[in-house]
Amino acid sequence: MRVFRPTVSVYWRDSYLSSHSSQIVKAVPDERKFWYVVLDETIFHPKGGGQPSDKGFQRGTGFKLEDRKAMFSEAVVVHWGKLLDGSPELGPVNAQVDWDWRYLLMRRHSAAHLLDYSLAQVVGHDAVTLDSWLGDPCYVAYRGDPPSQDQFAQIEKVENETVTRGGVIQARQVAADEVHSSFSDSPNLERLPSRKQLRLVTIEGCRPIACSGTHLHDISEAGGIKVKRLEKIPEGFRIRFDLE
Ligand SMILES: [Zn+2]
């Protein structure tokens, strides 16, 4: 079997790119009108790290595909979708993400990082994250004792003060060793994939968090954040939130 080169994740370079031309390097029919397609470069963020998959369209010579989801197969991103017209062939293709969906996920993802910071500010110590989901409904789960009702009410206030003030969000690639030695208080270190390079995402004024997701340029774009509900779970607690 042919071994693919790792897919170039263009969404890391520019999370605001909604359309991108690249090459189809593999196209395989699935059942009925569905196909698997591998591109050399992609702007589709696959499902992972709590972030749902992007969706959108692919258009190439004589075909159109409704791209329903993208998934990782090791370092290769595999797209899966419904063929609307023609038949995919190796060669040039233009891919377009559903921008409304992607931008919502970017706003939710940056808001989720800010939730880690706001919770730590209110309770006075960092909380280790267990998992998160940025689809519907979205939440972040933390280990340990839940905040009191008073503290819980303050979290939303701290989040929205930061959003109103605004702050640049930056992402940079760093060696995994450096993340583990210099950022040992990052709240999700236990959940990171074992890769040589990791990506550190920093909201201005907050500590960096290792993350592979797509983020805003500035936290002010998140708009109003609603911290909705506190739920106890066996290992800790979950905070459900959404954007206004
Ligand atoms: Zn993240």
Side-chain angles (χ1 to χ4, degrees), residues 4 24 34 47-48 60 63 65 67 81 101 122 152 216-217 242:
F4 294 108
I24 294 181
F34 287 84
K47 182 183 175 187
F63 87 94
L65 182 94
D67 205 323
W101 175 239
V122 169
F152 182 68
L216 301 170
H217 281 161
D242 210 341

Side-chain angles (χ1 to χ4, degrees), residues 198-210:
L198 290 171
R199 203 158 148 271
L200 274 185
V201 173
T202 311
I203 301 173
E204 191 179 351
C206 309
R207 55 107 191 270
I209 294 178

Side-chain angles (χ1 to χ4, degrees), residues 124-145:
H125 60 83
D126 291 320
V128 171
T129 54
L130 294 168
D131 72 329
S132 61
W133 181 241
L134 301 170
D136 296 305
C138 39
Y139 70 85
V140 182
Y142 299 91
R143 180 173 294 152
D145 294 327

Side-chain angles (χ1 to χ4, degrees), residues 24 48 61 65 76-77 89 101 141 151 172 184 190 192 239:
I24 294 181
T61 315
L65 182 94
V76 175
V77 177
E89 287 177 14
W101 175 239
Q151 288 172 325
R172 65 186 176 100
S184 56
E190 293 172 24
L192 295 179
I239 296 180

